[in-house]
Amino acid sequence: MSKEVRVRFAPSPTGPLHIGGVRTALYNYLFARKMGGKFLLRIEDTDQNRFVPGAEEYIKESLAWLGISPDESPWNPGDTGPYRQSERKQSYMQYALDLVEAGHAYYAFDTSEELEAMRERLEAARVVQPQYNSISRTQMKNSLTLPEAEVKERLASGDPYVIRVKIPRKEEVRLNDMIRGWVMVQSATLDDKVLMKSDGMPTYHLANIVDDHQMRITHVIRGEEWLPSAPLHVLLYKFFGWEDSMPQFAHLPLLLKPDGNGKLSKRDGDKLGFPVFPINWENKVTGETAAGFREQGYFSDAFLNFLAFLGWNPGDEREIFTLDELIDAFSVERIGKSGTKFDIAKAKWFNEQYLRAKSNAELAPYVIADAAAEGITILPETAEAIVSLTKDRVTFPAELWKGSKFMVEAPSTFDEAIAGKRWNADAVTVLTAYAETLEGYTGEFDAEKAKAMLGETAEAKEIKLGKVMQAVRLAVTGVGAGPDLMEIFAILGTEEVAKRIRFALATLEVIG
Ligand code: GLU
């Protein structure tokens, strides 16, 4: 039997989850489902300085909104918990000590002043990237350079120390990335990263590797920003003797600014007026806020569909995919290597497609609720009629009611600019005659009939309908543009349309 596929999404709760993080979660989820495996969520909260209250809840709510909830997480643990690194704290030290014991890590006692002095020394010697590595470590205060007795003495007396990985001086580190293929790095370019900090907490690198191993992770699918860390991770698997169960890596392409120049940031969203977070965020301590796709009116399924295409494609022309269809079509091989430009117009396009695919009855509650917020009660039939009129013209459900008030209330004012341009003698002639016709009419009245009657009226007066059409709209709706006017007439009925025309005729002053 082949090994169960287990992937994890491992965010650090340092703020709202960026859209790139949500995409990482989605790809992990799709891969797990596709392979019949498990999708885990691990909260990487070992860096206490960067901890932000509410961030963990935010992650939970975002994933729940999108319907990609984990199989194992702090809230629904499996057998490899706990799922918060802060709760796994006690296990890491032993692993670090094991590495020290095996000669793959060492204690380092250097003070920050000493580290700074080393940096200055290396810079003065024109070393391009001054770092604590296989060469510079020989000049520093660590268990490789100090006499054993002194090391023991320092440890016993509680001298502050960190544990660093001992990177071999000359070794080629190789990893076969599922997206990028073979990646090769010379160990001389790597530094002796800290594994255990002086506060007794592990760094990301140690905790991440230990946890992935203990949680039986088979594939690590994460953002490209972690690719430079991957060689160190490969070495750690080797040092621990876990090479056989080392997960396969897949580093996802970056999400780029709309112009393609650099990584997409919150600032880009603020500047260009679109969200880069799934749901609204508020930092309760600092008061900092950020806008979310959900609150802007994006449907979760449309947003997911959009997200899936930010770096992946099915290899054919299809674009609209339900979550199940995405699972079916997904493959890591079809994830691109190069960065993906973020295009908010595409997100809107997806939302429009999903909005149009929904039935009028499904969308009617938005209209009812939005009208109710303005103190207007709307019947479900009316709400559905409004939806059917507007749904092909809008991007978000909130736009269905916005601008539709005239459907339930006659306008009391009229767009002055339009009136100033269009309310001429011809318009008055046609509208007066049309009102009369409507008042005397008792037969079936639908959009076609409304149009035919209006056309005949204009023709009888020898006035081109096109010339007065905007004035007709103005009289009945108060504004110069909107959904199909004849459909509006059909919904309002002859009596209401005639009444509105009469009011406009009595209110507006004829130009020229
Ligand atoms: N905690 C890391 C992050 O915040 C996880 C990176 C990884 O998946 O290894 O992205």
Side-chain angles (χ1 to χ4, degrees), residues 47-119:
D47 193 346
Q48 284 152 334
N49 298 325
R50 294 179 63 218
F51 181 78
V52 174
E56 190 182 300
E57 269 307 303
Y58 182 93
I59 293 165
K60 183 181 180 187
E61 198 182 329
S62 301
L63 298 186
W65 175 54
L66 295 170
I68 54 171
S69 295
D71 302 305
E72 297 176 24
S73 75
W75 318 290
N76 54 330
D79 66 350
T80 57
Y83 293 81
R84 280 186 201 95
Q85 287 187 327
S86 56
E87 294 166 17
R88 303 170 73 86
K89 215 162 48 189
Q90 48 311 336
S91 69
Y92 302 116
M93 183 52 114
Q94 192 52 52
Y95 284 98
L97 294 178
D98 288 350
L99 288 185
V100 175
E101 181 76 10
H104 294 304
Y106 58 92
Y107 300 104
F109 301 97
D110 317 278
T111 62
S112 42
E113 292 77 29
E114 285 163 342
L115 291 170
E116 183 55 26
M118 170 191 88
R119 213 173 52 82

Coordinates of all heavy atoms in Angstrom, one line a residue, residues 47-119:
D47 N 7.5 32.4 17.1 CA 8.1 33.8 17.2 C 7.2 34.7 18.0 O 6.3 35.3 17.5 CB 8.4 34.4 15.8 CG 9.3 35.6 15.9 OD1 9.4 36.1 17.0 OD2 9.8 36.0 14.8
Q48 N 7.4 34.7 19.3 CA 6.4 35.4 20.2 C 6.4 36.9 19.9 O 5.4 37.5 20.2 CB 6.7 35.1 21.7 CG 6.3 33.7 22.0 CD 7.1 33.1 23.2 OE1 8.2 33.4 23.4 NE2 6.5 32.1 23.9
N49 N 7.5 37.4 19.4 CA 7.5 38.9 19.2 C 6.6 39.3 18.1 O 6.1 40.4 18.0 CB 8.9 39.4 18.8 CG 9.9 39.1 19.9 OD1 9.5 39.2 21.1 ND2 11.1 38.7 19.5
R50 N 6.3 38.3 17.2 CA 5.5 38.7 16.0 C 4.1 38.2 16.1 O 3.3 38.4 15.2 CB 6.2 38.1 14.7 CG 7.5 38.7 14.4 CD 8.1 38.1 13.2 NE 7.3 38.4 12.0 CZ 7.2 37.5 11.0 NH1 7.7 36.3 11.1 NH2 6.5 37.8 10.0
F51 N 3.7 37.7 17.3 CA 2.4 37.1 17.5 C 1.3 38.3 17.5 O 1.5 39.3 18.1 CB 2.3 36.4 18.8 CG 1.0 35.8 19.1 CD1 0.6 34.6 18.4 CD2 0.1 36.4 19.9 CE1 -0.7 34.1 18.7 CE2 -1.2 35.9 20.2 CZ -1.5 34.7 19.6
V52 N 0.3 38.1 16.7 CA -0.8 39.1 16.7 C -2.1 38.5 17.1 O -2.5 37.5 16.5 CB -0.9 39.7 15.3 CG1 -2.1 40.7 15.2 CG2 0.4 40.4 14.9
P53 N -2.7 39.0 18.1 CA -4.0 38.4 18.6 C -5.0 38.5 17.5 O -5.1 39.5 16.8 CB -4.4 39.2 19.8 CG -3.4 40.3 20.0 CD -2.3 40.2 18.9
G54 N -5.8 37.4 17.4 CA -6.9 37.4 16.4 C -6.5 36.8 15.1 O -7.3 36.4 14.3
A55 N -5.2 36.7 14.8 CA -4.7 36.2 13.5 C -5.1 34.8 13.3 O -5.4 34.4 12.2 CB -3.2 36.4 13.4
E56 N -5.0 34.0 14.4 CA -5.4 32.6 14.2 C -6.8 32.4 13.9 O -7.2 31.6 13.0 CB -5.0 31.9 15.5 CG -5.1 30.4 15.4 CD -4.8 29.7 16.7 OE1 -3.7 29.9 17.3 OE2 -5.7 29.0 17.2
E57 N -7.7 33.1 14.6 CA -9.1 33.1 14.3 C -9.4 33.5 12.9 O -10.3 33.0 12.2 CB -9.9 34.1 15.2 CG -10.3 33.5 16.5 CD -11.2 32.2 16.3 OE1 -12.2 32.4 15.5 OE2 -10.8 31.2 16.8
Y58 N -8.6 34.5 12.4 CA -8.8 35.0 11.1 C -8.5 33.9 10.0 O -9.2 33.7 9.1 CB -7.8 36.2 10.8 CG -7.9 36.8 9.5 CD1 -8.7 37.9 9.3 CD2 -7.2 36.3 8.4 CE1 -8.8 38.5 8.0 CE2 -7.3 36.9 7.2 CZ -8.1 38.0 7.0 OH -8.2 38.5 5.7
I59 N -7.4 33.1 10.3 CA -7.1 32.0 9.4 C -8.2 31.0 9.3 O -8.7 30.6 8.3 CB -5.8 31.3 9.9 CG1 -4.6 32.3 9.7 CG2 -5.5 30.0 9.1 CD1 -3.3 31.9 10.5
K60 N -8.7 30.7 10.5 CA -9.8 29.7 10.6 C -11.0 30.2 9.9 O -11.6 29.4 9.1 CB -10.2 29.5 12.1 CG -11.2 28.5 12.4 CD -11.5 28.4 13.9 CE -12.5 27.4 14.2 NZ -13.0 27.4 15.6
E61 N -11.4 31.4 10.1 CA -12.6 31.9 9.4 C -12.4 32.1 7.9 O -13.4 31.8 7.2 CB -12.9 33.3 10.0 CG -14.4 33.7 9.8 CD -14.7 35.1 10.3 OE1 -14.1 35.5 11.4 OE2 -15.5 35.8 9.7
S62 N -11.3 32.4 7.5 CA -11.0 32.6 6.0 C -11.2 31.2 5.4 O -11.8 31.1 4.3 CB -9.6 33.1 5.8 OG -9.4 34.4 6.4
L63 N -10.5 30.2 6.0 CA -10.6 28.8 5.3 C -12.0 28.3 5.4 O -12.5 27.7 4.4 CB -9.7 27.9 6.0 CG -8.2 28.2 6.0 CD1 -7.3 27.1 6.6 CD2 -7.7 28.5 4.6
A64 N -12.8 28.6 6.5 CA -14.1 28.1 6.6 C -15.0 28.8 5.5 O -15.8 28.2 4.9 CB -14.7 28.4 8.0
W65 N -14.8 30.1 5.3 CA -15.6 30.9 4.3 C -15.4 30.2 2.9 O -16.3 30.1 2.1 CB -15.1 32.3 4.2 CG -15.8 33.1 3.1 CD1 -17.1 33.2 2.9 CD2 -15.1 33.9 2.1 NE1 -17.3 34.0 1.8 CE2 -16.1 34.4 1.3 CE3 -13.8 34.2 1.8 CZ2 -15.9 35.2 0.2 CZ3 -13.5 35.0 0.7 CH2 -14.6 35.5 -0.1
L66 N -14.2 29.8 2.6 CA -13.9 29.2 1.3 C -14.2 27.7 1.2 O -14.1 27.1 0.2 CB -12.4 29.4 1.0 CG -12.0 30.9 0.8 CD1 -10.5 31.1 0.8 CD2 -12.7 31.5 -0.4
G67 N -14.6 27.1 2.3 CA -14.9 25.7 2.3 C -13.7 24.8 2.1 O -13.9 23.7 1.6
I68 N -12.6 25.3 2.6 CA -11.4 24.4 2.5 C -10.8 24.1 3.9 O -9.6 24.3 4.1 CB -10.3 25.0 1.5 CG1 -9.9 26.4 1.9 CG2 -10.8 25.0 0.1 CD1 -8.7 27.0 1.2
S69 N -11.7 23.7 4.7 CA -11.3 23.5 6.1 C -10.4 22.3 6.2 O -10.6 21.3 5.5 CB -12.5 23.4 7.0 OG -13.2 24.6 7.0
P70 N -9.4 22.4 7.1 CA -8.4 21.3 7.3 C -9.0 20.0 7.9 O -10.0 20.1 8.6 CB -7.4 21.8 8.2 CG -7.8 23.2 8.6 CD -9.1 23.5 8.0
D71 N -8.4 18.9 7.6 CA -8.8 17.6 8.2 C -8.3 17.5 9.6 O -8.8 16.8 10.5 CB -8.3 16.4 7.4 CG -8.8 16.5 6.0 OD1 -10.0 16.5 5.8 OD2 -8.0 16.5 5.0
E72 N -7.1 18.1 9.8 CA -6.5 18.1 11.2 C -6.0 19.5 11.4 O -5.4 20.1 10.6 CB -5.3 17.1 11.3 CG -5.7 15.7 11.0 CD -4.5 14.7 11.0 OE1 -3.5 15.1 11.6 OE2 -4.6 13.7 10.4
S73 N -6.3 20.1 12.6 CA -6.0 21.4 12.9 C -6.1 21.6 14.4 O -6.5 20.7 15.1 CB -6.9 22.4 12.2 OG -8.2 22.4 12.9
P74 N -5.7 22.8 15.0 CA -5.9 23.0 16.4 C -7.4 22.8 16.9 O -7.6 22.4 18.0 CB -5.5 24.5 16.6 CG -4.6 24.8 15.5 CD -5.1 24.0 14.3
W75 N -8.3 22.9 15.9 CA -9.7 22.8 16.3 C -10.3 21.5 16.1 O -11.4 21.1 16.6 CB -10.5 23.9 15.6 CG -9.8 25.2 15.6 CD1 -9.5 26.0 16.7 CD2 -9.0 25.8 14.5 NE1 -8.7 27.1 16.3 CE2 -8.4 27.0 15.0 CE3 -8.9 25.5 13.1 CZ2 -7.6 27.8 14.2 CZ3 -8.1 26.3 12.3 CH2 -7.5 27.4 12.9
N76 N -9.7 20.7 15.2 CA -10.1 19.3 15.0 C -8.9 18.4 14.9 O -8.5 18.0 13.8 CB -11.1 19.1 13.8 CG -10.5 19.7 12.6 OD1 -9.7 20.6 12.6 ND2 -10.8 19.1 11.4
P77 N -8.2 18.2 16.1 CA -6.9 17.5 16.0 C -7.0 16.1 15.6 O -8.1 15.4 15.8 CB -6.5 17.6 17.5 CG -7.7 18.0 18.3 CD -8.7 18.6 17.4
G78 N -6.0 15.6 14.9 CA -5.9 14.2 14.6 C -4.9 13.6 15.6 O -4.7 14.1 16.7
D79 N -4.1 12.6 15.1 CA -3.2 11.9 16.0 C -1.8 12.4 16.0 O -0.9 11.8 16.6 CB -3.3 10.4 15.7 CG -2.7 10.0 14.4 OD1 -2.4 11.0 13.6 OD2 -2.4 8.9 14.1
T80 N -1.6 13.5 15.3 CA -0.2 14.1 15.3 C -0.1 15.5 15.9 O 0.7 16.2 15.6 CB 0.3 14.1 13.8 OG1 -0.6 14.9 13.0 CG2 0.5 12.7 13.2
G81 N -1.0 15.7 16.8 CA -1.1 17.1 17.5 C 0.0 17.2 18.5 O 0.8 16.3 18.7
P82 N 0.0 18.3 19.2 CA -0.8 19.5 19.0 C -0.5 20.2 17.7 O 0.6 19.9 17.1 CB -0.5 20.4 20.2 CG 0.5 19.7 21.1 CD 0.9 18.5 20.4
Y83 N -1.4 21.0 17.3 CA -1.2 21.7 16.0 C -0.8 23.1 16.1 O -0.9 23.9 15.1 CB -2.5 21.5 15.2 CG -2.7 20.1 14.8 CD1 -3.3 19.2 15.7 CD2 -2.3 19.5 13.6 CE1 -3.4 17.8 15.4 CE2 -2.5 18.2 13.3 CZ -3.0 17.3 14.2 OH -3.1 16.0 13.9
R84 N -0.4 23.5 17.3 CA 0.2 24.9 17.4 C 1.6 24.6 17.9 O 1.8 23.9 18.9 CB -0.5 25.7 18.5 CG -1.8 26.3 18.1 CD -2.3 27.2 19.2 NE -3.8 27.4 18.9 CZ -4.7 26.7 19.5 NH1 -4.5 25.7 20.3 NH2 -6.0 26.9 19.1
Q85 N 2.6 25.2 17.2 CA 4.0 25.0 17.6 C 4.3 25.4 19.1 O 5.1 24.8 19.8 CB 4.9 25.7 16.7 CG 5.0 25.0 15.3 CD 6.0 25.5 14.4 OE1 6.3 26.7 14.4 NE2 6.5 24.6 13.5
S86 N 3.6 26.4 19.5 CA 3.8 26.9 20.9 C 3.5 25.8 21.9 O 4.0 25.7 23.0 CB 3.0 28.1 21.2 OG 1.6 27.9 21.0
E87 N 2.6 24.9 21.5 CA 2.2 23.8 22.4 C 3.1 22.5 22.2 O 2.9 21.5 22.9 CB 0.7 23.4 22.1 CG -0.3 24.5 22.5 CD -1.7 24.3 22.0 OE1 -2.0 23.1 21.6 OE2 -2.4 25.2 22.0
R88 N 4.0 22.6 21.2 CA 4.9 21.5 21.0 C 6.3 21.8 21.5 O 7.3 21.1 21.3 CB 5.0 21.2 19.5 CG 3.7 20.9 18.8 CD 3.8 20.8 17.3 NE 4.5 19.7 16.8 CZ 3.9 18.5 16.6 NH1 2.6 18.3 16.8 NH2 4.6 17.5 16.1
K89 N 6.4 23.0 22.1 CA 7.7 23.6 22.6 C 8.7 22.6 23.2 O 9.8 22.6 22.8 CB 7.3 24.7 23.6 CG 8.2 25.8 23.6 CD 7.6 27.1 24.2 CE 7.1 26.9 25.6 NZ 6.4 28.2 26.0
Q90 N 8.1 21.8 24.1 CA 9.1 21.0 24.8 C 9.8 19.9 24.0 O 10.9 19.5 24.4 CB 8.4 20.3 26.1 CG 7.1 19.6 26.0 CD 6.0 20.3 25.3 OE1 5.9 21.6 25.2 NE2 5.0 19.6 24.8
S91 N 9.3 19.6 22.8 CA 9.9 18.5 22.0 C 11.1 19.0 21.2 O 12.0 18.2 20.9 CB 8.9 17.9 21.1 OG 8.5 18.8 20.1
Y92 N 11.2 20.3 20.9 CA 12.2 20.7 20.0 C 13.6 20.6 20.5 O 14.6 20.3 19.8 CB 11.9 22.1 19.5 CG 10.6 22.3 18.9 CD1 9.6 23.1 19.4 CD2 10.3 21.6 17.7 CE1 8.3 23.2 18.8 CE2 9.0 21.7 17.1 CZ 8.1 22.5 17.7 OH 6.9 22.6 17.1
M93 N 13.8 21.0 21.8 CA 15.2 21.1 22.4 C 15.9 19.7 22.2 O 17.0 19.7 21.8 CB 15.1 21.5 23.9 CG 16.4 21.7 24.5 SD 17.5 22.8 23.6 CE 17.7 24.1 24.7
Q94 N 15.2 18.7 22.5 CA 15.8 17.3 22.4 C 16.4 17.1 21.0 O 17.4 16.5 20.9 CB 14.8 16.2 22.9 CG 15.5 14.9 23.1 CD 16.7 15.0 24.0 OE1 16.7 15.6 25.1 NE2 17.9 14.5 23.6
Y95 N 15.6 17.5 20.0 CA 16.0 17.3 18.7 C 17.3 18.1 18.4 O 18.2 17.6 17.7 CB 14.9 17.6 17.6 CG 13.9 16.6 17.6 CD1 12.7 16.7 18.3 CD2 14.0 15.4 16.8 CE1 11.7 15.8 18.2 CE2 13.1 14.5 16.8 CZ 11.9 14.6 17.5 OH 10.9 13.7 17.4
A96 N 17.3 19.3 18.9 CA 18.5 20.1 18.7 C 19.7 19.5 19.4 O 20.8 19.4 18.8 CB 18.2 21.5 19.2
L97 N 19.5 19.0 20.6 CA 20.6 18.4 21.4 C 21.1 17.1 20.6 O 22.3 16.8 20.6 CB 20.1 18.0 22.8 CG 19.8 19.3 23.7 CD1 19.3 18.8 25.0 CD2 21.0 20.2 23.8
D98 N 20.1 16.4 20.0 CA 20.5 15.2 19.3 C 21.5 15.6 18.1 O 22.5 14.9 17.8 CB 19.3 14.5 18.6 CG 18.5 13.8 19.7 OD1 18.9 13.7 20.9 OD2 17.3 13.4 19.4
L99 N 21.2 16.7 17.5 CA 22.1 17.2 16.4 C 23.4 17.6 16.9 O 24.5 17.3 16.3 CB 21.4 18.3 15.6 CG 20.2 18.0 14.7 CD1 19.8 19.3 14.0 CD2 20.5 16.9 13.8
V100 N 23.4 18.2 18.1 CA 24.7 18.6 18.7 C 25.5 17.3 19.0 O 26.7 17.2 18.6 CB 24.5 19.4 20.0 CG1 25.8 19.7 20.7 CG2 23.8 20.7 19.8
E101 N 24.9 16.4 19.6 CA 25.5 15.1 19.9 C 26.1 14.4 18.7 O 27.2 13.9 18.7 CB 24.4 14.2 20.5 CG 24.8 12.8 21.0 CD 25.6 12.9 22.3 OE1 25.6 14.0 22.9 OE2 26.1 11.9 22.6
A102 N 25.3 14.5 17.6 CA 25.8 13.8 16.4 C 26.8 14.7 15.6 O 27.3 14.3 14.5 CB 24.6 13.5 15.5
G103 N 27.1 15.9 16.1 CA 28.1 16.7 15.4 C 27.6 17.6 14.3 O 28.3 18.1 13.5
H104 N 26.3 17.7 14.2 CA 25.7 18.5 13.1 C 25.2 19.9 13.6 O 24.6 20.6 12.8 CB 24.5 17.7 12.5 CG 24.9 16.5 11.8 ND1 25.8 16.5 10.8 CD2 24.5 15.2 12.0 CE1 26.0 15.2 10.4 NE2 25.2 14.4 11.1
A105 N 25.4 20.1 14.9 CA 25.0 21.4 15.4 C 25.9 21.7 16.6 O 26.6 20.8 17.0 CB 23.5 21.4 15.9
Y106 N 25.9 23.0 17.0 CA 26.8 23.3 18.1 C 26.3 24.5 18.9 O 25.4 25.2 18.4 CB 28.2 23.7 17.5 CG 28.2 24.8 16.5 CD1 28.4 26.1 16.9 CD2 28.0 24.5 15.1 CE1 28.4 27.1 15.9 CE2 28.0 25.5 14.2 CZ 28.2 26.8 14.6 OH 28.2 27.8 13.7
Y107 N 26.8 24.7 20.1 CA 26.4 25.8 20.9 C 27.2 27.0 20.5 O 28.4 26.9 20.2 CB 26.7 25.5 22.4 CG 26.0 24.3 23.0 CD1 26.7 23.1 23.2 CD2 24.7 24.4 23.3 CE1 26.1 22.0 23.7 CE2 24.0 23.2 23.9 CZ 24.8 22.1 24.0 OH 24.1 21.0 24.5
A108 N 26.5 28.2 20.5 CA 27.2 29.4 20.2 C 26.9 30.4 21.3 O 25.7 30.6 21.6 CB 26.9 29.9 18.8
F109 N 27.9 31.1 21.8 CA 27.8 31.9 23.0 C 28.0 33.4 22.6 O 28.0 34.3 23.5 CB 28.8 31.5 24.1 CG 28.6 30.1 24.5 CD1 29.4 29.1 24.0 CD2 27.6 29.8 25.5 CE1 29.3 27.8 24.4 CE2 27.5 28.5 25.9 CZ 28.3 27.5 25.4
D110 N 28.1 33.7 21.4 CA 28.5 35.1 21.0 C 27.4 36.1 21.4 O 26.2 35.8 21.2 CB 28.6 35.1 19.4 CG 29.4 33.9 18.9 OD1 30.6 34.0 19.0 OD2 28.8 32.9 18.5
T111 N 27.9 37.2 21.9 CA 27.0 38.3 22.2 C 26.6 39.1 21.0 O 27.3 38.9 19.9 CB 27.6 39.3 23.2 OG1 28.7 39.9 22.6 CG2 28.1 38.6 24.5
S112 N 25.6 39.9 21.1 CA 25.2 40.6 19.8 C 26.3 41.6 19.4 O 26.5 41.8 18.2 CB 23.9 41.4 20.0 OG 23.8 42.0 21.3
E113 N 27.1 42.1 20.4 CA 28.2 43.0 20.1 C 29.3 42.2 19.3 O 29.9 42.7 18.3 CB 28.9 43.6 21.3 CG 28.1 44.6 22.1 CD 27.0 43.9 22.9 OE1 27.2 42.8 23.4 OE2 25.9 44.6 23.1
E114 N 29.5 40.9 19.7 CA 30.5 40.1 19.0 C 30.1 39.8 17.6 O 30.9 39.7 16.7 CB 30.8 38.8 19.9 CG 31.6 39.1 21.1 CD 31.6 38.0 22.1 OE1 30.7 37.2 22.1 OE2 32.5 38.0 23.0
L115 N 28.8 39.5 17.5 CA 28.3 39.2 16.1 C 28.4 40.4 15.2 O 28.8 40.3 14.1 CB 26.8 38.8 16.2 CG 26.6 37.4 16.9 CD1 25.1 37.2 17.1 CD2 27.1 36.3 16.0
E116 N 28.1 41.6 15.8 CA 28.2 42.8 15.0 C 29.7 43.1 14.6 O 30.0 43.4 13.5 CB 27.7 44.0 15.9 CG 27.7 45.4 15.3 CD 26.9 45.4 14.0 OE1 26.0 44.6 13.8 OE2 27.2 46.3 13.2
A117 N 30.6 42.8 15.6 CA 32.0 43.0 15.3 C 32.5 42.1 14.2 O 33.2 42.5 13.3 CB 32.8 42.7 16.5
M118 N 31.9 40.8 14.2 CA 32.3 39.9 13.1 C 31.8 40.4 11.8 O 32.5 40.4 10.8 CB 31.6 38.5 13.4 CG 31.7 37.6 12.2 SD 30.7 36.1 12.3 CE 29.2 36.7 11.6
R119 N 30.6 41.0 11.8 CA 30.0 41.5 10.5 C 30.9 42.6 10.0 O 31.3 42.7 8.8 CB 28.6 42.0 10.7 CG 27.7 41.8 9.5 CD 26.3 42.2 9.9 NE 26.2 43.5 10.5 CZ 26.2 44.6 9.8 NH1 26.2 44.6 8.5 NH2 26.1 45.8 10.5

